Amino acid sequence: MNQSTPYVIREIKADEWEKVKELRLAALADPVAPIAFLESAEQAVAQPDDFWQGRTERGAQGRGARQFVAEAADGRWVGSVTVLVEQAGTRGFFGEEIPVEQGHLVGVFVRPEQRGTGLTEELFRAALDWAWGLEEPALERVRLFVHEDNARAGAFYRRFGFVASGTLVPLPGDSGSMELEYLISRP
């Protein structure tokens, strides 16, 4: 725990799949979930335990991804963010070519009662510290996408230092909505 929050910000452990699942289901039950996540609660609930175990293991070790959580003194998880590493020359989730080695922040969630407390900033700092600490090939930037109607999230990302890249991608399965890309460059 640190001075500004009563929570420990840490990487998940490979055996914590039940907590990963519980927090993800809480995120997908949030009223803003339809514009915050590309997965529905129904899709997540239908996943078997081995899906959650694999997802957790991938987010806990190796270079490909890292999930960070905010853990309360009683052990309850109250927030999370995940960094995915995207390699130059591969394709991203929306089919776009990845031009440089970069991170991609996904799964940003803080329980409603902790919003506005500085917890999201702490999760982002931990995620970016991990991303910038990766050795060769070093990540040149970190990006994220935000739904065009998610003004609160967009405002937070800009305050944190992310800049709109100008890239817009259509939301999969939605004929009219767009996702906006935001970037932050390596310090």
Side-chain angles (χ1 to χ4, degrees):
M1 293 190 198
N2 67 37
Q3 306 291 346
S4 61
T5 182
Y7 305 102
V8 172
I9 308 299
R10 67 172 180 83
E11 298 175 15
I12 63 168
K13 297 176 185 139
D15 65 350
E16 294 179 311
W17 69 270
E18 291 171 303
K19 285 187 168 188
V20 167
K21 179 181 177 180
E22 186 280 325
L23 190 63
R24 182 63 173 183
L25 294 178
L28 294 172
D30 191 277
V32 299
I35 62 169
F37 303 108
L38 300 179
E39 174 184 38
S40 72
E42 294 77 22
Q43 291 168 319
V45 167
Q47 296 293 347
D49 289 348
D50 63 347
F51 167 85
W52 295 102
Q53 292 162 354
R55 182 179 187 152
T56 304
E57 188 173 308
R58 286 186 301 278
Q61 56 197 20
R63 180 186 165 87
R66 190 68 49 170
Q67 183 174 355
F68 293 86
V69 293
E71 183 176 39
D74 65 2
R76 182 173 184 243
W77 288 5
V78 297
S80 179
V81 64
T82 299
V83 183
L84 305 176
V85 174
E86 297 176 320
Q87 297 176 334
T90 63
R91 295 265 172 207
F93 180 81
F94 298 106
E96 75 286 7
E97 185 173 340
I98 304 302
V100 297
E101 290 288 321
Q102 64 187 19
H104 185 164
L105 293 183
V106 298
V108 178
F109 176 69
V110 172
R111 293 186 192 266
E113 62 272 18
Q114 273 78 36
R115 293 180 186 154
T117 66
L119 190 56
T120 308
E121 288 90 339
E122 291 195 41
L123 284 163
F124 268 52
R125 276 193 286 278
L128 289 175
D129 284 349
W130 180 81
W132 302 141
L134 289 174
E135 305 231 347
E136 295 303 319
L139 303 185
E140 292 186 33
R141 64 188 191 180
V142 172
R143 70 177 182 159
L144 54 81
F145 286 90
V146 63
H147 189 283
E148 63 186 342
D149 294 334
N150 198 344
R152 180 183 174 124
F156 168 78
Y157 301 143
R158 288 188 300 276
R159 277 194 317 275
F160 197 84
F162 283 82
V163 177
S165 71
T167 298
L168 299 167
V169 294
L171 186 64
D174 184 334
S175 60
S177 296
M178 300 296 280
E179 292 272 324
L180 313 170
E181 182 187 53
Y182 282 81
L183 303 169
I184 192 167
S185 295
R186 182 179 197 80

